[in-house]
Amino acid sequence: MNKKELERLPVRNIEVTEVKIYPFDTTGIGGNVKAVASIKLNDILEIKDIKIVYSNNGYFIQMPSKKTRTGEFVPVVNPLNKNLYLHIRRKILDAYKCAMRKYDEKVNSGT
C-alpha cells in the first residue's frame, strides 16, 4: 500500500465522511486560495472554512483560524495526530481535484 492509499484510511476510527468544496479562487487579487472546504467527521462533527491553498510546493490545506487582537492568526481547529491531518488533507484534495475536473468538463463541453 502506498502513502496516498494509506492517507485515505480512517485514523483511530475517525473518518472524513463528507466533503463539500466551494471554489473561491483568489489569484486574480494576488491571493493563493483556490477553494474553501467543509468536512464531516463520522457524520457527527462538521469543520468549515478549511482553505485549499496553492504554493510553489503544490496544494495544501489550511485549517480554520481566527485573528487575535495583535493581528496574529491562531488555529481554531488543529488535528493533533499527523495521520489524521494527512487523512483530512487527502480527502479534501481528492474532492477538490474531482470538482475541478467536472468544472473543466462542463466548460469545455460548452454547457
Side-chain angles (χ1 to χ4, degrees):
M1 208 176 273
N2 67 35
K3 184 178 177 184
K4 286 189 178 181
E5 289 172 331
L6 286 173
E7 289 175 359
R8 288 180 175 82
L9 297 175
V11 178
R12 296 184 180 183
N13 295 322
I14 299 173
E15 183 175 5
V16 175
T17 51
E18 185 179 333
V19 179
K20 292 182 183 176
I21 301 294
Y22 305 95
F24 189 76
D25 194 345
T26 62
T27 53
I29 57 171
N32 55 1
V33 175
K34 296 295 186 178
V36 175
S38 293
I39 62 170
K40 286 186 182 175
L41 300 175
N42 292 6
D43 288 324
I44 59 171
L45 177 66
E46 184 174 35
I47 303 173
K48 296 181 177 187
D49 199 31
I50 302 169
K51 292 174 182 64
I52 300 169
V53 180
Y54 183 76
S55 72
N56 293 337
N57 296 326
Y59 288 95
F60 66 94
I61 63 169
Q62 184 178 36
M63 297 304 275
S65 60
K66 68 177 184 172
K67 194 173 184 178
T68 65
R69 292 179 187 172
T70 62
E72 181 183 4
F73 285 93
V74 179
V76 176
V77 176
N78 190 23
L80 299 178
N81 180 295
K82 182 179 178 179
N83 289 331
L84 179 59
Y85 171 80
L86 293 173
H87 173 68
I88 291 169
R89 182 185 72 182
R90 176 59 40 214
K91 291 286 193 161
I92 289 173
L93 294 181
D94 285 352
Y96 172 73
K97 289 175 184 174
C98 182
M100 292 299 98
R101 254 192 320 274
K102 287 179 183 176
Y103 174 78
D104 288 343
E105 289 171 3
K106 186 177 179 181
V107 169
N108 291 332
S109 70
T111 56

